[in-house]
Amino acid sequence: MKLLTKLPLLALLAIFSFSCTEDSLDEKADAIELNFTDPETKTIEVEILELINNHRESMGLNVLSDMIVVKKVAFTHTDYMVDNNQISHANFYKRSDYLKANAGAIKVSENVAYGYSSAESVVKAWLKSEGHRANIEGDFTSFDLAAEQNSEGKWFYTNIFIKK
């Protein structure tokens, strides 16, 4: 009986632990500036990209190529989430529009996550979620990822997928 009272709390926690979006959502983007830096590639990022491509390959799907412009855009959002200490898709349409104008994207989608301490754990969580898995297994050509830690050492992730 105690488990039944905790299930809604666990469901809410799962919803706020990771999220995904596609540019088919109908919302307005807040006005932000995409301030680009050349983010350093971290081992955890390389591992996540490899795990996603290994999964895609195991399903008979094309392997996605990484793109520095996608990484820079992902980094701006991950940095935003760290600064606000909150997981979100805020300003997704600004990122999507930028990638359509500057990376030749015709379709853009993203997965975000918070708190997972390893590449395996975040990819497993995304694959257990129908929406995140749909992005990972979707009709895309390129992707990249940014992972940053907050002051408490908790990881924030933004994984952006594009179709050119």
Side-chain angles (χ1 to χ4, degrees), residues 26-71:
D26 187 24
E27 68 180 50
K28 298 283 184 188
D30 295 335
I32 63 160
E33 291 296 320
L34 294 175
N35 295 317
F36 295 117
T37 60
D38 286 328
E40 177 184 327
T41 300
K42 298 170 191 66
T43 302
I44 195 167
E45 294 168 339
V46 172
E47 291 171 350
I48 291 168
L49 297 176
E50 287 176 357
L51 287 168
I52 289 171
N53 267 336
N54 289 344
H55 174 77
R56 288 180 62 86
E57 198 168 33
S58 76
M59 305 271 314
L61 301 170
N62 63 304
V63 172
L64 303 176
S65 60
D66 58 327
M67 287 184 70
I68 190 64
V69 67
V70 175
K71 180 173 189 58

Side-chain angles (χ1 to χ4, degrees), residues 62-107:
N62 63 304
V63 172
L64 303 176
S65 60
D66 58 327
M67 287 184 70
I68 190 64
V69 67
V70 175
K71 180 173 189 58
K72 288 178 180 184
V73 172
F75 177 78
T76 64
H77 185 59
T78 303
D79 195 43
Y80 171 86
M81 291 191 300
V82 169
D83 287 348
N84 289 285
N85 202 34
Q86 182 178 1
I87 188 170
S88 76
H89 289 289
N91 307 304
F92 171 74
Y93 290 99
K94 183 89 167 177
R95 293 186 295 285
S96 177
D97 289 346
Y98 182 88
L99 290 168
K100 287 175 180 175
N102 296 282
I106 59 172
K107 178 180 175 185

